[in-house]
Each structure stands twice: as structure tokens, then as C-alpha cells.
């Protein structure tokens, strides 16, 4: 019998004005091994996460074009647009897990896992809803509550068998699940014009100055018939099998097939409309691995996967979308790995990912989605990991990606912006490069230096707002005080480069952190 206890607590600030994070969690685990062939693991989890919902800064006006896109607003990276005091994301999770594993006499293993979770999440945001117009920006507000109970049970059977001279390592399994979700959304209306210069569109939009982009004006939140007030019950049945076939000492094949049946009972509590959606999805996988020499391997892989039309959160289904086919992902990859030395590995790959029947976020309205016909992303990656010498270790890589819309997206009545065929996918820079070096000066001291570079990328599929590329340098110093105590000093963004880390859409762009210094101490006892 063994007992383990993991716990975490964090109370953090941010370079962003008014942004903070508080989270805590505990995870006790008990492992019982009644016999040499049987293992039972029982655990519980509790996690609570309270943080500021931060949607970043808007883009600079006026609206750009594909040929000449606009960029993020030039402002201090700490500037918060909206109201950090009323922009909250709170989540609470309780979970119980069980694992029973038993090995039979013929090297066959049967394993059963059970997981039950109950989770509640509240998200409220007062955020920039437009790019800069002159010296003003428009704010909007909403909140969203989700309560979810989930139960999953998974049984796997792992065994080996021979067909003549060919060995098969098999895995077959059954997964059963049930998920009950309640989701309620409320839009905010501003009830007075104090911090707001003007209030427009039935009091749902608040205009503020870029020099004073916050508002403390009262906001009333209410659910209307057009907003989410839903209950969904999802039942999942999955069967899967995978066979790793050792055709030759230097050649392996991997074949797999997964069947998923999703039954979704969806009720709109505002309208009384009930939607039943069933998806029967077959996801095949096939791959080959060839090792011409012991230190090198070449592989190819093909896979097909789906997202049900009800969406990842099972809350986006409507009468209009319930008849649409599921979103489909087809991935093809060819790669190679070479162990240059026992401690240094080089890997490379070329890949293509095709998505069809895609629902995309509306670039102009985060509450809506538009249906895109398809996307294609082609790319190449190269990575190097390991030790150059006994004292010098490296970890780095380069990735090139070219992702485009494969069929034109016309403007929709909900306000969707057109995306032309050939438009570049959002948040997909063509070039990414990173390299981290660590050098151990002696047994006590070490130093690290690295660089992260990223090319420009568009904030949304209309390609009218672009985040510029950047290069950021990081550094570190390591000290081993004794066998039980280690000290580490990390400096992120050593030269205080101003850059933009990500984008939710054209109007919500997240600045990167200015220079940040972290000191950590690790003690073993």
C-alpha cells in the first residue's frame, strides 16, 4: 500500500493592470497491490481557479485590407480595456478516479479506468468589441455559466499474438460515457453614462476614450431568447482496436480503427425546442516505421478524426446546424528521426492537415460563428534535442506552416465577414524558431540562453489585422547548493522586447510580457 499527496497553491499578479490569478488544488492517491499481478489506484481531485478574464487590447483603426492590414493599437502593454474588476473567470472541479489493472498468465493485461467529475464555471467579461475609431473604442459585456457532470469508464485489453513469423502487439477497448451540461449566457447592458462617453445599440455598447479605456458604469446582465439557456445530455459509446505489426526486425506497421457513437439530447430552455443528434463516426489510423539502421528511423502516418456537430462543448448545436455533417480532420505525415549520438537526436517531418465543414469564429462578433467550407495546413518541422557535449545541452526547432481557406466564405446575415479562398488561417505564422542552450560551468553553476522568434500572423480569417513578428531572448542561471537544494533564476524577455503573443480576434489581442524575472528554490527532503 502506498499513499501520495500532491497539492498546489498560487497567488499571482500580472504585468496587465488589475489582472490576477488565484488557484489551489489537492490530489490524494492511494495505490494498493494485493498481488504481484494486480494493482488498484484510487484518487480524488479538487481544484479551484479564480482569475481575471483578460481579452487584451484592440487593433488600431481604421479597418485594414488584405493588402494593407492594420495592426495592434500602440499602447502600454499593461493597459486593460474594459473593467478588470468585473471580468472574472472562476472554475471549481471535484473528481474521483479509479484504476484496476490485472496481468494474466499469458502476458495479457486487462485495465479498467473510471472517472467522475462535477464542474462549475463562471465567465464574465467587459472587453473591447471594436478597433480604435479616432480616439475611442467600444466595449461590450456578457457572462456565461456552465455546470457539468461527467462519468466515463474505459476498459482496455492488451495482448500479443503471432501469425506465423509475424508478431502482433494488440490493444482493444471499450469506452462508455455520459455528460450532462447546463449552459446559461447573459448579455450586459450599461445603465448610465459616467465612464462611458456614449451608450449605443440598446445600451449594449459603451464607448470609452483610448486614454481612459475603463468603465465603472453599472451593468445589468440578462438572458434573452436569442442567447444560450440550454441543457444537453451526451451519451458516448466507443470501440477501438490497434495492432502494432512487426513485419521485419526493421519494419513495423500500425493499424487502428476507432468507432464513436455520440447521442446528444439538446434542449433550448428559452424556446422549448428539443434537438436529438446522433453521430456514428469511424476514425482509422495507419502508419509505417522503417529502421534502416539502429540509430535512424523513417515513418509515415495517416489518421482521420471528427468533432461532432454539437461542438467540443456540446452547446453550439442549433436547428440550422443539427443537420450538418461533423467537422472532419484528415492528417498525413512523413518524418524521420536520427540519433546523432546516444545523447543527441534530430527529428524532421512534413505534414498536411485538412479540415472540412469547419465552423469558424466570427471576426467581428465573438458571440457568433460562421460556417467555412474547409482549411488546409501544410508544413515542415525540424527539431534538435540532447547534449552536444557533457556540459552543453540544446533543445530547439524550426517550423514552417502554410495554412489557407480552401473555399470562399461569404458574409452571413449574422454579421460574418467574408474570407476569400486562399486567405491565411488565423494565428498561424509561417515561420517559428526556438533554441534553448544550457551550459554547466561546473558541478555547482550553470547558465542558459535562448531565443524565440515568430513571423507575422493574422488575428482573424479576414486577414485585415496582422500581429507583427518578433524575436525574444530568455536567460537563466542555475545553482546546486547541495544535494538537496537547487536555486534557479529565469529572465524572460531579457531585452524587454515589445511583442504580441496571441489574438482571439481582430479586437482582442494579447500583448507579450515585458521583462520578467523569476527566482525558484527546489528542496528535497
Amino acid at each position: 500500500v502506498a499513499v501520495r499527496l500532491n497539492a498546489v497553491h498560487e497567488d499571482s499578479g500580472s504585468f496587465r493592470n488589475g489582472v490576477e490569478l488565484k488557484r489551489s488544488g489537492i490530489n490524494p492517491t492511494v495505490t494498493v497491490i494485493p498481488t504481484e499481478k494486480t494493482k488498484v489506484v484510487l484518487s480524488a481531485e479538487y481544484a479551484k481557479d479564480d482569475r481575471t478574464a483578460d481579452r487584451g487590447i484592440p487593433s488600431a483603426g481604421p479597418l485594414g485590407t488584405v493588402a494593407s492590414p492594420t495592426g495592434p493599437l500602440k499602447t502600454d502593454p499593461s493597459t486593460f480595456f474594459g473593467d478588470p474588476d468585473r471580468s472574472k473567470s472562476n472554475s471549481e472541479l471535484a473528481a474521483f478516479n479509479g484504476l484496476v489493472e490485472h496481468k494474466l498468465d499469458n502476458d495479457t493485461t486487462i485495465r479498467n479506468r473510471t472517472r467522475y467529475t462535477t464542474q462549475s464555471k463562471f465567465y464574465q467579461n467587459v472587453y473591447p468589441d471594436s478597433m480604435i475609431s479616432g480616439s475611442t473604442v467600444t466595449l461590450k459585456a456578457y457572462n456565461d455559466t456552465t455546470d457539468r457532470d461527467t462519468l466515463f469508464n474505459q476498459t482496455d485489453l492488451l495482448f500479443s499474438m503471432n501469425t506465423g513469423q509475424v508478431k502482433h502487439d494488440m490493444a482493444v477497448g471499450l469506452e462508455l460515457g455520459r455528460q450532462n451540461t447546463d449552459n446559461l449566457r447573459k448579455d450586459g447592458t450599461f445603465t448610465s453614462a459616467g465612464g462611458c462617453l456614449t451608450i449605443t445599440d440598446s445600451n449594449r455598447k459603451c464607448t470609452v476614450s483610448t486614454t481612459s479605456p475603463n468603465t465603472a458604469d453599472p451593468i445589468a446582465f440578462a438572458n434573452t431568447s436569442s442567447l444560450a439557456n440550454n441543457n444537453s445530455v451526451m451519451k458516448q459509446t466507443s470501440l477501438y482496436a490497434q495492432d502494432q505489426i512487426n513485419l521485419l526486425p526493421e519494419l513495423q506497421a500500425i493499424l487502428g480503427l476507432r468507432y464513436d457513437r455520440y447521442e446528444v439530447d439538446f434542449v433550448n430552455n428559452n424556446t422549448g425546442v428539443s434537438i436529438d443528434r446522433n453521430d456514428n463516426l469511424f476514425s482509422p489510423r495507419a502508419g509505417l516505421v522503417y529502421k534502416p539502421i539502429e540509430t535512424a528511423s523513417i515513418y509515415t502516418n495517416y489518421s482521420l478524426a471528427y468533432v461532432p456537430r454539437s461542438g467540443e462543448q456540446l452547446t453550439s448545436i442549433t436547428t440550422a446546424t443539427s443537420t450538418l455533417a461533423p467537422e472532419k480532420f484528415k492528417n498525413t505525415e512523413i518524418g524521420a528521426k536520427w540519433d546523432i549520438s546516444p545523447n543527441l537526436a534530430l527529428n524532421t517531418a512534413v505534414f498536411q492537415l485538412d479540415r472540412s465543414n469547419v465552423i469558424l469564429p466570427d471576426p467581428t462578433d465573438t458571440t457568433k460563428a460562421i460556417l467555412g467550407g474547409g482549411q488546409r495546413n501544410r508544413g515542415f518541422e525540424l527539431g534538435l534535442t540532447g547534449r552536444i557535449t557533457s556540459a552543453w545541452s540544446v533543445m530547439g526547432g524550426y517550423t514552417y506552416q502554410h495554412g489557407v481557406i480552401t473555399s470562399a466564405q461569404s458574409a452571413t446575415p449574422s454579421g460574418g465577414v467574408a474570407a476569400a479562398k486562399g486567405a491565411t488561417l488565423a494565428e498561424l505564422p509561417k515561420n517559428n524558431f526556438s533554441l534553448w542552450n544550457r551550459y554547466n560551468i561546473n558541478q555547482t553553476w550553470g547558465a542558459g540562453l535562448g531565443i524565440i522568434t515568430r513571423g507575422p500572423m493574422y488575428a482573424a480569417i479576414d486577414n485585415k489585422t496582422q500581429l507583427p513578428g518578433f524575436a525574444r531572448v530568455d536567460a537563466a542561471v542555475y545553482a546546486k547548493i547541495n544535494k538537496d537544494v537547487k536555486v534557479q533564476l529565469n529572465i524572460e524577455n531579457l531585452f524587454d522586447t515589445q511583442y504580441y503573443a496571441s489574438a482571439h480576434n481582430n479586437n482582442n489581442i494579447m500583448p507579450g510580457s515585458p521583462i520578467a524575472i523569476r527566482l525558484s528554490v527546489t528542496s528535497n527532503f
Side-chain angles (χ1 to χ4, degrees):
V1 177
V3 178
R4 183 180 71 245
L5 178 65
N6 293 332
V8 62
H9 179 73
E10 179 178 354
D11 188 345
S12 299
S14 170
F15 71 95
R16 300 275 294 155
N17 290 338
V19 174
E20 60 182 19
L21 163 66
K22 294 181 180 180
R23 66 187 182 105
S24 58
I26 189 168
N27 173 213
T29 301
V30 177
T31 300
V32 181
I33 304 179
T35 72
E36 293 181 353
K37 296 183 178 182
T38 304
K39 178 172 68 173
V40 179
V41 182
L42 302 174
S43 67
E45 300 173 50
Y46 174 79
K48 185 174 176 60
D49 188 303
D50 298 327
R51 65 180 67 197
T52 306
D54 183 6
R55 295 277 279 270
I57 66 174
S59 57
L63 180 66
T65 64
V66 175
S68 181
T70 189
L73 175 68
K74 300 292 185 182
T75 187
D76 190 294
S78 65
T79 305
F80 193 99
F81 286 75
D83 184 3
D85 293 333
R86 289 180 290 181
S87 296
K88 301 298 180 183
S89 177
N90 305 323
S91 177
E92 189 170 13
L93 168 75
F96 302 91
N97 308 288
L99 165 68
V100 180
E101 183 177 281
H102 182 71
K103 295 181 179 179
L104 304 177
D105 293 335
N106 55 355
D107 290 330
T108 297
T109 299
I110 184 168
R111 178 187 302 144
N112 181 270
R113 299 178 187 269
T114 301
R115 178 171 172 84
Y116 169 77
T117 65
T118 179
Q119 183 177 18
S120 61
K121 181 178 179 181
F122 176 77
Y123 182 94
Q124 181 169 289
N125 208 198
V126 184
Y127 63 99
D129 184 59
S130 72
M131 61 179 51
I132 299 301
S133 177
S135 60
T136 63
V137 62
T138 298
L139 305 178
K140 288 183 70 174
Y142 76 94
N143 64 41
D144 192 280
T145 303
T146 302
D147 294 302
R148 173 171 291 160
D149 292 329
T150 304
L151 177 63
F152 278 94
N153 182 270
Q154 177 180 329
T155 302
D156 297 312
L157 184 65
L158 313 174
F159 60 97
S160 299
M161 58 181 292
N162 295 316
T163 55
Q165 300 298 315
V166 178
K167 181 183 178 183
H168 301 259
D169 292 314
M170 303 285 295
V172 296
L174 167 68
E175 182 178 324
L176 302 173
R178 187 181 190 275
Q179 182 170 279
N180 190 320
T181 303
D182 289 300
N183 177 241
L184 178 67
R185 181 187 172 106
K186 298 179 180 180
D187 275 354
T189 58
F190 295 84
T191 59
S192 67
C196 301
L197 300 177
T198 59
I199 297 177
T200 59
D201 291 359
S202 301
N203 297 339
R204 288 190 58 212
K205 295 184 178 181
C206 165
T207 302
V208 295
S209 168
T210 55
T211 58
S212 183
N214 301 129
T215 180
D217 282 21
I219 303 174
F221 293 92
N223 178 261
T224 63
S225 60
S226 62
L227 300 177
N229 181 8
N230 308 319
N231 171 261
S232 66
V233 177
M234 184 278 295
K235 298 176 183 178
Q236 175 193 340
T237 303
S238 301
L239 298 168
Y240 45 90
Q242 179 172 288
D243 186 4
Q244 180 176 304
I245 309 169
N246 298 288
L247 299 170
L248 298 169
E250 64 275 7
L251 181 64
Q252 289 183 339
I254 299 173
L255 299 176
L257 180 64
R258 180 182 177 99
Y259 165 76
D260 294 292
R261 176 173 174 81
Y262 295 99
E263 303 173 61
V264 179
D265 298 323
F266 182 89
V267 178
N268 185 323
N269 296 321
N270 284 332
T271 64
V273 173
S274 178
I275 301 172
D276 296 332
R277 168 77 191 218
N278 297 330
D279 287 297
N280 296 284
L281 308 174
F282 289 90
S283 303
R285 176 192 177 198
L288 282 174
V289 180
Y290 175 60
K291 292 178 68 69
I293 57 176
E294 183 62 29
T295 58
S297 60
I298 303 169
Y299 73 89
T300 181
N301 184 67
Y302 168 85
S303 64
L304 190 64
Y306 298 87
V307 172
R309 181 48 59 203
S310 47
E312 293 179 355
Q313 297 300 314
L314 304 175
T315 59
S316 61
I317 191 169
T318 65
T319 303
T321 62
S322 64
T323 59
L324 300 175
E327 186 174 349
K328 182 165 67 174
F329 299 76
K330 182 171 67 173
N331 185 66
T332 306
E333 184 174 344
I334 300 174
K337 180 181 178 181
W338 175 33
D339 293 327
I340 302 172
S341 70
N343 297 315
L344 186 65
L346 179 73
N347 61 278
T348 184
V350 293
F351 56 86
Q352 177 173 299
L353 174 63
D354 288 296
R355 299 175 63 183
S356 56
N357 205 24
V358 183
I359 288 184
L360 304 171
D362 188 326
T364 62
D365 190 338
T366 58
T367 69
K368 297 183 175 66
I370 55 179
L371 184 63
Q375 303 176 0
R376 168 168 288 177
N377 183 25
R378 289 174 171 170
F380 162 79
E381 60 183 10
L382 179 69
L384 181 68
T385 305
R387 293 185 178 273
I388 304 295
T389 69
S390 59
W392 178 21
S393 60
V394 298
M395 179 175 62
Y398 167 77
T399 303
Y400 171 83
Q401 296 184 89
H402 181 56
V404 297
I405 302 292
T406 55
S407 57
Q409 170 60 57
S410 301
T412 66
S414 64
V417 173
K421 180 179 180 180
T424 301
L425 299 180
E427 287 200 275
L428 189 72
K430 284 190 175 182
N431 297 287
N432 283 282
F433 172 76
S434 65
L435 179 64
W436 180 255
N437 299 270
R438 172 171 173 166
Y439 189 81
N440 293 325
I441 301 169
N442 53 41
Q443 291 186 346
T444 301
W445 293 96
L449 187 67
I451 185 171
I452 297 172
T453 69
R454 191 187 71 197
M457 67 182 188
Y458 293 107
I461 57 171
D462 60 4
N463 292 179
K464 294 183 178 181
T465 299
Q466 188 177 65
L467 280 61
F470 68 88
R472 191 190 84 196
V473 176
D474 299 339
V477 177
Y478 311 93
K480 184 177 181 180
I481 307 302
N482 54 48
K483 64 183 182 67
D484 294 322
V485 179
K486 298 178 182 179
V487 179
Q488 182 172 325
L489 178 70
N490 284 83
I491 306 175
E492 182 181 299
N493 197 2
L494 181 64
F495 299 117
D496 203 23
T497 300
Q498 185 169 353
Y499 68 99
Y500 303 92
S502 61
H504 187 69
N505 53 44
N506 287 337
N507 304 319
N508 302 151
I509 299 169
M510 185 56 62
S513 172
I515 185 171
I517 300 174
R518 287 192 297 273
L519 179 67
S520 58
V521 179
T522 302
S523 176
N524 299 318
F525 56 90

